[in-house]
Amino acid sequence: MTHASESSTPATKTPESFWEIVGRWSMSVDHKKLGMMYVGAGLIFFLVGGLEAAFMRLQLAQANLKIIDPETFNQLFTMHGTTMVFLVGMPILLGFGNYLLPLMVGARDMAFPRLNAFGFWLFIFGGLLLYFSYIGSQGLYGAPSAPDVGWFAYAPLTDRTFSRGNSTDYWILGILVSGFGSMTTAINFIGTILCMRCPGMTLMRMPIMAWMMLVVAALVLVAIPVLTGAQIMLLLDRSFGAHFFDPETTGSAVLWQHLFWFFGHPEVYILILPAFGFVSEILPTFSRKVLFGYPLMVAATVSIGFISLGVWAHHMFVVGLGPVLNSFFGAMTFLISVPTGIKIFNWIATMWGGRLRFATPMLFATGFIAMFVIGGLTGIMLATVPLDWQLSDSYFVVGHFHYVLFGGTVFGIFGALFYWFPKATGKMLSERLGKWTFWLLFIGFTMTFMPMHVSGVLGMPRRIYTYEADRGWEIWNLITTLGVPVQMAGVAIFLWNVVKSLRSGENAGNNPWDAWTLEWSTTSPPPEWNFDRIPTVTSARPLWDSAHPEDPDAHYE
Amino acid sequence: MGRGYSLTERTGAEARPRKNHLHRYTSSHAPNVIPTSGARESSSTVSSVRRLRCASQLQRYTLLGVLCFGAITSIGVSTAAAEVPQSQASRSLEVCDPSVIPISGSGVTSILESNSAPAREVRSLGYLVVAICAGIFVVVQTFLVLAIVRGVRAARVANASAGSGAEPVQVFGSLPIEVAWTVIPFIIVFVLTMVTIRTIRDIDLTKPPEGALTVTTIGHQWWWEFRYTAADGSTVITANEMHIPAGRPIWVELKSADVIHSFWVPRLAGKLDVIPGKTNALWIEADVPGIYLGQCAEYCGTQHAHMLLRVYAEEPAQFDAWLAAQAAPAVEDATVTVGRDTFTAFSCFNCHAIAGTSEGLFGPNLTHLASRDTIGSGSIPLTRSNLVQWILDPNTLKPGCNMPSLKLEPAQVESIVDYLMTLK
């Protein structure tokens, strides 16, 4: 399948059997294979998580429906949230980092290739462990068969008293295991970015995505261990009679929330910063312009990293922290909108005066900006503490974070898929089908998530398996549900596009988009060793420099 | 080094100056530019001039953006400010007509239909924030659309002209522009923080307002318990339907018996979590009599969806009468002793308290059950047939609820219901 295997396999040899292919991929420590497997596995989980959401929307299409019983519904939203965050967002984004970072910084592989493979298999194992709960956690109690405590698993609902059986333990262990996988990946990113850059590539000459990934890796290393620690404490509570989160004794239910959100808020930035990176790579290429304000972009990214560690309690404005803490965390949350705003302005300035070509990656990148702006602004509304007292835990919040994580992260991911697919496979995706995917996703997304803001303002809380008739919520929920099949059609067309392209796609060549970063200087797909000769760079856009030797970027640094 | 600190840009070297106003601009200003050395001379000359042109243009647009934002926001803010007296006007109207509080239809639980001082203050702040956000939204999306339209047009022009393959002007950054869109958001954020903190100070009270009535509210999986102190100092306990006097501040003390719940009646106030091991308190103050609906807003397990809240705001005299009636002992009706005996013969009394009969604490207090409108935490109207169905098997009405079916004979259930329906 890859160029590397073709060139290393003698032509006379018979084609590989299925098991040989499986063996070659599963034993691989090549960052490109691992990256593709991360993205592939993430996409499979994306379909699973999407189906879970579709079932929920079916139940909520009208008031008082009885399609899905409450326990199943609660499992669905728990698994949907957990899957999308830990088994879709993180692996796909880290998978892109895995695939691209060595190519972008001109290295032959990640700093620790074996650790990289280890991390990937931990993620797979953690994901399977979580889903095994559907079969494995039935237990002797007639207990729920999958976790039903919500993705943030608030204590003391997770206590044995309220969560019988083993489903919550599966949740703890599945996430704990895949969390270790994320940590190893973060170590690898930091090692690769700091130590493996090719000659001439100073930190300020890295592709901007590498900067974003560096900050993401740092956040993973700070945030995930806190979650892991909290989960171990919860495990001790549940299985060994500890009382960390047990308010009946001296434990504290609020402690879990602090620990969880100390992880949880940086996690949001872990999920959005790589998408910022994709967009920051795609926009310049399709605007034919250099990224506007690179140093400010770096500064904004790093400051988002720092500030994101100090905003966690904005998930807890309704806990009753008192006026002082509420004011502090409200102010910090407002503050983080400044560097985020800077990024948006810089992207628009990058497009400004460019010559835009709306290939599919560019459609998704501009769609990303438009949708993310909405998600960011509703975020400002939610950061307004008193307004949050009304809107928190309502459908407004669901609408808000889907604008960030779907309109933001998922659009970014689709942009990246269309942008780097030719590099990874050597084949172009169909532009026509790509545009169908974009517009169906865009329309379906808006239909689904825009009305949620309204139902939230009308007082509809989240995580309810059914709702009262005659509160003015029905029509908005119906529109929301009707958006789902539109999105599903978009995703189905994308999958067909991939299959079609792999079978009979147009050949991509090294640099189909005429981009400027190092990954486009090698073949598509790149050989196992990435570059025949380690490149030397003199600016952030080495391919611009080689195309315009008389006018290199270095002059403007 | 120059990147980001001064405006640096240039053309692709093969780019020819386009035949448009930009070119004219170049020729008329070229003499002012000092050429740099050697081979870069011609391209530097062009690029330096283009830098001037492009910088002034971007700066003009940034200024325009700021002005637009200012205009839109001030329109929004003045609308938000005008909203306050309006709401007070409509409030005085509502006092004349108590039936104005609807219990069904769109807006019945809307955060915009405020009937309580804290909710109204949140709404005013909300309008202000939405106005500011709308200003930002319009400006940013306008720029995005402009950039797209201009960019697509530029690409079309470039493709049509002979110099295809030419790259547009490369703008690396601009200090004044970048400073502008760092500093202006800071100012907006500062304003937002200040108004937020002011509102927090106004409504996030740490002690009860003067003359407040304290109602202790206890969240259970999946129902609400309310405790009042009656005139004689005794404790009155009821469930799921909270009665309050209108026009008087209420201090809702929130406690939980099991997991975390959240008390949310949107027309009266924002929500506040009900946390085991931590007592929270919330200030509500209904302007006008009526039934205010709400529900638990923090996921609390299987039947989170059916943990509804009904707040009955009544004229003070009516409320006092209600409280006195609730403080009275349970009605003793000699015609239903069979039902009463059945109630105590089975395990009903383990969970349900009926003053003078049983003292269970795990389920709702039934002393004055028949004075309520609903069962199942506000999800089912209290009718004889619903109550029969409920006692036969609560899971058919509220699947997963903690009350078991005792597998009673229909006749036994009928007798219990006869008894319960007398508990006015």
Side-chain angles (χ1 to χ4, degrees):
Chain A
M1 176 166 181
T2 66
H3 173 88
S5 66
E6 279 163 27
S7 62
S8 61
T9 313
T12 50
K13 201 175 164 188
T14 50
E16 285 181 299
S17 76
F18 174 72
W19 290 111
E20 276 169 329
I21 295 173
V22 169
R24 189 158 54 78
W25 280 76
S26 59
M27 300 297 166
S28 176
V29 294
D30 175 17
H31 74 97
K32 296 182 290 300
K33 287 208 178 70
L34 288 167
M36 288 163 80
M37 286 196 287
Y38 261 120
V39 174
L43 284 176
I44 292 170
F45 279 121
F46 177 71
L47 299 181
V48 175
L51 272 182
E52 285 159 358
F55 282 121
M56 283 192 276
R57 285 319 315 175
L58 201 60
Q59 162 71 12
L60 291 175
Q62 284 294 292
N64 292 320
L65 288 184
K66 290 194 172 65
I67 300 170
I68 290 168
D69 65 80
E71 278 187 4
T72 312
F73 187 90
N74 297 343
Q75 292 166 6
L76 284 174
F77 70 66
T78 303
M79 294 297 271
H80 170 76
T82 309
T83 303
M84 288 302 189
V85 170
F86 294 101
L87 307 179
V88 177
M90 301 254 289
I92 293 186
L93 298 168
L94 296 182
F96 271 105
N98 236 307
Y99 190 93
L100 292 169
L101 279 178
L103 287 165
M104 281 182 158
V105 302
R108 296 217 190 276
D109 204 322
M110 296 288 265
F112 312 106
R114 282 162 183 273
L115 190 66
N116 199 11
F118 178 65
F120 171 75
W121 291 107
L122 279 184
F123 145 65
I124 292 289
F125 180 65
L128 292 180
L129 192 60
L130 180 70
Y131 271 89
F132 187 70
S133 63
Y134 270 110
I135 312 165
S137 75
Q138 204 83 41
L140 302 170
Y141 312 96
S145 66
D148 63 348
V149 289
W151 90 276
F152 41 75
Y154 272 1
L157 192 62
T158 47
D159 194 274
R160 271 228 183 273
T161 320
F162 305 107
S163 172
R164 294 171 305 137
N166 296 322
S167 60
T168 303
D169 303 302
Y170 275 93
W171 179 84
I172 296 171
L173 289 171
I175 302 312
L176 194 143
V177 168
S178 72
F180 273 102
S182 308
M183 283 186 255
T184 60
T185 309
I187 291 167
N188 234 327
F189 280 15
I190 294 174
T192 309
I193 293 170
L194 293 186
C195 306
M196 307 275 287
R197 278 167 291 131
C198 65
M201 185 172 281
T202 60
L203 282 176
M204 293 305 274
R205 282 180 186 163
M206 292 196 301
I208 190 76
M209 195 190 116
W211 264 108
M212 312 250 179
M213 286 294 184
L214 183 63
V215 174
V216 166
L219 284 178
V220 167
L221 277 190
V222 175
I224 301 269
V226 178
L227 175 68
T228 306
Q231 287 182 317
I232 291 172
M233 289 158 81
L234 182 58
L235 205 59
L236 292 175
D237 268 15
R238 284 179 58 83
S239 299
F240 301 99
H243 299 288
F244 291 110
F245 308 118
D246 176 10
E248 292 287 294
T249 61
T250 51
S252 160
V254 179
L255 174 64
W256 168 267
Q257 298 192 21
H258 279 294
L259 293 174
F260 186 87
W261 290 118
F262 188 84
F263 145 80
H265 204 76
E267 173 69 18
V268 174
Y269 288 91
I270 292 168
L271 291 173
I272 195 69
L273 278 173
F276 285 176
F278 303 154
V279 170
S280 305
E281 295 296 330
I282 293 169
L283 284 176
T285 300
F286 292 94
S287 307
R288 309 309 306 155
K289 274 184 71 204
V290 67
L291 184 71
F292 187 93
Y294 180 105
L296 187 65
M297 213 61 165
V298 172
T301 308
V302 174
S303 49
I304 284 179
F306 278 108
I307 302 173
S308 76
L309 295 172
V311 297
W312 76 89
H314 69 209
H315 297 267
M316 299 164 61
F317 285 152
V318 294
V319 165
L321 296 173
V324 176
L325 278 182
N326 279 343
S327 303
F328 171 78
F329 281 103
M332 286 298 279
T333 309
F334 283 132
L335 195 61
I336 208 167
S337 65
V338 174
T340 314
I342 288 172
K343 280 175 184 294
I344 289 167
F345 293 131
N346 277 358
W347 287 326
I348 296 178
T350 303
M351 295 166 74
W352 196 264
R355 285 174 200 157
L356 306 191
R357 198 184 131 215
F358 274 94
T360 312
M362 184 65 170
L363 277 178
F364 276 105
T366 39
F368 169 98
I369 300 178
M371 295 302 101
F372 183 77
V373 166
I374 298 176
L377 291 174
T378 51
I380 288 180
M381 296 174 199
L382 289 168
T384 312
V385 183
L387 200 50
D388 184 83
W389 292 332
Q390 285 283 20
L391 295 174
S392 174
D393 278 311
S394 78
Y395 259 84
F396 190 90
V397 172
V398 183
H400 155 72
F401 71 71
H402 279 95
Y403 261 81
V404 175
L405 293 180
F406 197 125
T409 305
V410 175
F411 273 38
I413 286 173
F414 271 100
L417 282 168
F418 278 91
Y419 187 58
W420 281 293
F421 185 88
K423 177 50 62 184
T425 63
K427 304 279 189 188
M428 301 298 285
L429 286 167
S430 154
E431 274 296 306
R432 196 171 54 87
L433 294 179
K435 284 180 174 127
W436 272 100
T437 301
F438 172 77
W439 286 110
L440 285 173
L441 275 182
F442 184 80
I443 293 166
F445 165 81
T446 307
M447 278 174 72
T448 299
F449 297 110
M450 191 52 98
M452 284 188 181
H453 295 99
V454 183
S455 40
V457 167
L458 291 179
M460 179 169 171
R462 62 193 286 208
R463 301 175 150 188
I464 50 176
Y465 79 96
T466 188
Y467 51 93
E468 299 305 294
D470 218 8
R471 291 195 174 183
W473 303 344
E474 285 105 325
I475 178 68
W476 306 107
N477 277 283
L478 185 64
I479 299 172
T480 294
T481 301
L482 289 178
V484 174
V486 183
Q487 294 182 58
M488 287 167 105
V491 174
I493 290 177
F494 169 73
L495 294 177
W496 168 240
N497 199 350
V498 169
V499 172
K500 191 165 153 264
S501 157
L502 286 178
R503 273 175 23 199
S504 60
E506 212 181 306
N507 279 331
N510 287 2
N511 192 357
W513 310 117
D514 202 4
W516 295 306
T517 40
L518 273 184
E519 75 269 27
W520 303 103
S521 67
T522 186
T523 53
S524 306
E528 209 161 324
W529 50 89
N530 289 352
F531 301 97
D532 289 340
R533 238 179 43 195
I534 292 292
T536 301
V537 302
T538 52
S539 77
R541 296 194 298 171
L543 270 64
W544 169 282
D545 294 348
S546 55
H548 307 280
E550 69 295 332
D551 188 25
D553 269 4
H555 182 74
Y556 299 91
E557 280 186 2
Chain B
M1 271 306 289
R3 220 177 221 188
Y5 301 100
S6 67
L7 188 82
T8 43
E9 63 177 74
R10 56 94 201 281
T11 60
E14 72 279 47
R16 295 203 180 89
R18 276 188 279 134
K19 300 268 183 274
N20 57 17
H21 59 287
L22 194 63
H23 185 211
R24 287 205 299 280
Y25 198 92
T26 307
S27 53
S28 65
H29 285 75
N32 296 337
V33 179
I34 301 152
T36 49
S37 61
R40 299 192 59 84
E41 188 176 311
S42 67
S43 75
S44 315
T45 310
V46 172
S47 69
S48 309
V49 176
R50 286 190 172 189
R51 163 192 346 169
L52 289 173
R53 160 90 184 131
C54 198
S56 62
Q57 192 190 44
L58 256 175
Q59 279 160 4
R60 259 205 321 276
Y61 274 103
T62 309
L63 187 66
L64 189 70
V66 174
L67 290 177
C68 290
F69 168 75
I72 296 162
T73 308
S74 50
I75 294 168
V77 170
S78 53
T79 320
E83 136 70 19
V84 178
Q86 262 173 22
S87 71
Q88 271 157 3
S90 64
R91 176 155 65 116
S92 56
L93 199 77
E94 281 162 8
V95 171
C96 307
D97 181 13
S99 67
V100 80
I101 306 297
I103 55 163
S104 73
S106 186
V108 66
T109 50
S110 167
I111 69 167
L112 302 177
E113 307 286 334
S114 313
N115 296 99
S116 166
R120 214 167 19 248
E121 198 155 342
V122 170
R123 183 180 58 179
S124 305
L125 177 67
Y127 282 133
L128 176 72
V129 175
V130 169
I132 292 173
C133 289
I136 300 172
F137 175 83
V138 171
V139 169
V140 174
Q141 304 285 26
T142 308
F143 271 87
L144 183 62
V145 170
L146 271 179
I148 291 172
V149 171
R150 289 164 42 103
V152 170
R153 197 185 299 145
R156 203 172 293 143
V157 170
N159 285 342
S161 73
S164 67
E167 304 287 14
V169 180
Q170 302 290 304
V171 186
F172 285 84
S174 156
L175 184 63
I177 294 168
E178 290 172 30
V179 166
W181 62 49
T182 309
V183 171
I184 294 167
F186 261 116
I187 297 169
I188 299 172
V189 158
F190 181 76
V191 172
L192 282 169
T193 307
M194 288 299 121
V195 294
T196 299
I197 290 176
R198 196 189 61 190
T199 314
I200 292 176
R201 273 172 47 110
D202 284 352
I203 53 181
D204 194 359
L205 305 183
T206 47
K207 58 180 197 306
E210 216 166 300
L213 170 78
T214 301
V215 181
T216 304
T217 301
I218 303 168
H220 295 259
Q221 276 184 326
W222 294 280
W223 58 281
W224 299 93
E225 176 179 339
F226 302 106
R227 297 186 173 205
Y228 300 78
T229 307
D232 60 356
S234 64
T235 304
V236 169
I237 303 177
T238 182
N240 299 326
E241 292 171 7
M242 181 185 194
H243 288 250
I244 58 169
R248 181 175 166 193
I250 311 295
W251 190 241
V252 188
E253 261 189 8
L254 298 166
K255 298 177 179 183
S256 170
D258 37 50
V259 301
I260 300 178
H261 307 275
S262 193
F263 183 93
W264 189 27
V265 186
R267 296 169 81 110
L268 294 182
K271 65 183 71 60
L272 189 59
D273 279 1
V274 180
I275 301 171
K278 181 179 193 309
T279 303
N280 276 333
L282 181 71
W283 165 44
I284 59 174
E285 192 171 340
D287 299 331
V288 286
I291 299 175
Y292 298 91
L293 300 175
Q295 71 188 87
C296 174
E298 184 67 83
Y299 175 62
C300 55
T302 312
Q303 272 295 344
H304 168 52
H306 284 144
M307 188 165 164
L308 309 181
L309 261 167
R310 296 165 75 88
V311 177
Y312 292 67
E314 293 157 339
E315 296 294 353
Q318 204 183 345
F319 171 77
D320 289 341
W322 173 84
L323 192 60
Q326 297 287 314
V331 174
E332 297 275 356
D333 188 334
T335 60
V336 292
T337 45
V338 182
R340 183 165 179 259
D341 291 345
T342 320
F343 183 87
T344 49
F346 291 90
S347 41
C348 311
F349 71 94
N350 281 341
C351 295
H352 294 285
I354 294 176
T357 300
S358 65
E359 293 177 337
L361 283 171
F362 298 110
N365 186 305
L366 303 179
T367 307
H368 297 284
L369 173 68
S371 72
R372 306 209 275 261
D373 289 339
T374 58
I375 55 173
S377 195
S379 60
I380 304 148
L382 174 57
T383 61
R384 205 193 137 81
S385 59
N386 282 344
L387 197 53
V388 169
Q389 177 68 22
W390 178 266
I391 295 171
L392 273 173
D393 188 358
N395 269 280
T396 55
L397 295 172
K398 195 171 170 180
C401 77
N402 283 332
M403 176 168 162
S405 162
L406 293 180
K407 311 268 190 280
L408 301 179
E409 299 295 326
Q412 292 168 320
V413 174
E414 293 286 341
S415 68
I416 291 177
V417 170
D418 286 339
Y419 167 56
L420 293 178
M421 291 305 274
T422 63
L423 299 176
K424 293 281 183 198

